[in-house]
Amino acid sequence: MATVIGTTGDSPSETIARPRSRLMRLLRLSTYLLAGLVLFIFLVNLLWKASGDNQWHLEFERNGVQVYSLKEPGTYNKRFRALTRTDYTLTHLVAGLIENATLDNCLNSIPDCVDLKVISPWDSKTMSDTVLWKLGLPAPFTAREIVIRSQVSQDPVSRAVTIDVIAAPNSAPRNPDAIRLTHVQNRWIYTPKENGQVEIEFIQDMDMGGTFPRFLLNLAGAEEVYKFIHDQLPQLLDKTELRGVRYDFIKEA
C-alpha cells in the first residue's frame, strides 16, 4: 500500500516553502512598520520643533508659586519661569548663591549632587564666580557636569538684583566619566515690592545634553521648577549664618 504524504498532494519541498513564505511576509511587514514608525517620530519632532508662539503661558499656580512655560519656534526644549514672593532681604537672597557654593551644601541640600568644585571664587570686583557641579543620574544615563558662571548686577534705581547663571563649559578640564552641559542660560531676578517683600523670579533655560530624552524635560520641567522654588530654595536660605551676611555691593530698597 502506498504511503500518503499530504492530503492535498503537495510535495515535501512545497510543504516547507509555505512557512518560509509566511515568515518573509512578516519580516517585510515588520520592516514597513518600523520604517513608518521612524518616519512618524521624525515628523512629530519636526512639527514640535517648529511649534510655539514665544509667549509665557501659565502652567499652574500652587502655594503662592506661579509656574509658566514658553516654547520658542525652532527649539526642542521649553523654558520655565517661576514667580513667588518672600520676606527675605536682597542681601540674604544673594548670599544664598554666594555662600552656598560648598561641597557640604552640594551633598546635603542638592538632590543628585555628588561633587562640587569652585573654579573661580566669588570676586566682588567682577561680581561673579564660577563653580562646577556634578550630578548623578539614574541608569542608564551618564552623570552630568555643569560649570556655571554666576554674574550679579543691581539696578541703581529699582534696586532689583539680577543673577545670570550661564554655562562656562571650557572653564575646567573635561571629565571622561561625565557629560559636560553646554547650554545653561538661567536667570534670577529679585525685585523689591511693597511691605518689604521681594519678588523672586526664576527662569530656567537649559539642555541636559547627551541622549537624555528632551521630552522628559518638557513634561516634568514645570513640576521640577516648582519643587525647587517651593521645597528646596527655603532649605538653602533658612540658615542662621546667612542672616548676618552684609555686602557693600547690594543696596536694600
Side-chain angles (χ1 to χ4, degrees), residues 95-122:
L97 167 73
I98 299 174
E99 309 298 332
N100 276 328
T102 66
L103 180 58
D104 286 342
N105 179 66
C106 161
L107 299 177
N108 298 324
S109 303
I110 308 297
D112 303 320
C113 187
V114 296
D115 196 12
L116 180 145
K117 292 183 175 66
V118 176
I119 307 302
S120 299
W122 172 258

Side-chain angles (χ1 to χ4, degrees), residues 73-84:
T75 63
Y76 283 108
N77 292 346
K78 287 183 176 181
R79 300 176 198 169
F80 294 96
R81 174 176 176 240
L83 286 174
T84 191

Side-chain angles (χ1 to χ4, degrees), residues 47-59:
L47 290 172
W48 172 255
K49 185 176 181 180
S51 68
D53 59 5
N54 210 28
Q55 299 292 322
W56 290 109
H57 297 278
L58 180 66
E59 293 276 347

Side-chain angles (χ1 to χ4, degrees), residues 91-101 105 236-237 242 247:
T91 301
H92 193 133
L93 291 168
V94 173
L97 167 73
I98 299 174
E99 309 298 332
N100 276 328
N105 179 66
L236 295 172
L237 294 174
L242 297 183
Y247 298 125

Side-chain angles (χ1 to χ4, degrees), residues 81-92:
R81 174 176 176 240
L83 286 174
T84 191
R85 289 198 178 191
T86 182
D87 293 323
Y88 294 116
T89 63
L90 294 173
T91 301
H92 193 133

Side-chain angles (χ1 to χ4, degrees), residues 48-241:
W48 172 255
K49 185 176 181 180
S51 68
D53 59 5
N54 210 28
Q55 299 292 322
W56 290 109
H57 297 278
L58 180 66
E59 293 276 347
F60 58 81
E61 182 173 2
R62 189 188 307 158
N63 296 322
V65 180
Q66 297 175 336
V67 179
Y68 298 80
S69 67
L70 180 150
K71 174 64 175 65
E72 180 182 351
T75 63
Y76 283 108
N77 292 346
K78 287 183 176 181
R79 300 176 198 169
F80 294 96
R81 174 176 176 240
L83 286 174
T84 191
R85 289 198 178 191
T86 182
D87 293 323
Y88 294 116
T89 63
L90 294 173
T91 301
H92 193 133
L93 291 168
V94 173
L97 167 73
I98 299 174
E99 309 298 332
N100 276 328
T102 66
L103 180 58
D104 286 342
N105 179 66
C106 161
L107 299 177
N108 298 324
S109 303
I110 308 297
D112 303 320
C113 187
V114 296
D115 196 12
L116 180 145
K117 292 183 175 66
V118 176
I119 307 302
S120 299
W122 172 258
D123 186 337
S124 58
K125 293 181 179 179
T126 63
M127 299 279 281
S128 67
D129 64 5
T130 303
V131 180
L132 183 153
W133 302 76
K134 185 175 181 180
L135 305 178
L137 295 181
F141 302 113
T142 305
R144 289 331 193 241
E145 283 188 343
I146 312 175
V147 183
I148 51 177
R149 184 176 190 269
S150 300
Q151 182 72 56
V152 179
S153 61
Q154 184 175 31
D155 187 291
V157 178
S158 68
R159 299 293 172 87
V161 175
T162 299
I163 304 174
D164 288 305
V165 183
I166 307 297
N170 298 320
S171 296
R174 300 280 176 148
N175 178 1
D177 298 325
I179 293 176
R180 182 72 55 84
L181 269 62
T182 59
H183 180 82
V184 179
Q185 294 181 341
N186 297 344
R187 171 172 285 187
W188 294 91
I189 303 175
Y190 306 138
T191 305
K193 295 295 182 180
E194 60 276 5
N195 301 324
Q197 287 193 316
V198 174
E199 178 185 76
I200 298 177
E201 178 178 1
F202 173 64
I203 299 174
Q204 177 180 284
D205 179 7
M206 62 184 294
D207 187 277
M208 292 296 289
T211 59
F212 193 88
R214 287 168 168 169
F215 75 90
L216 289 181
L217 287 176
N218 292 327
L219 288 176
E223 192 65 33
E224 290 303 312
V225 166
Y226 168 79
K227 290 179 182 178
F228 177 57
I229 296 298
H230 183 265
D231 301 334
Q232 297 172 27
L233 185 60
Q235 296 178 20
L236 295 172
L237 294 174
D238 287 343
K239 297 180 178 180
T240 304
E241 58 268 27

Side-chain angles (χ1 to χ4, degrees), residues 30-54:
S30 298
T31 301
Y32 295 148
L33 290 175
L34 180 60
L37 179 60
V38 171
L39 179 61
F40 174 75
I41 293 175
F42 173 78
L43 290 175
V44 168
N45 280 331
L46 195 64
L47 290 172
W48 172 255
K49 185 176 181 180
S51 68
D53 59 5
N54 210 28

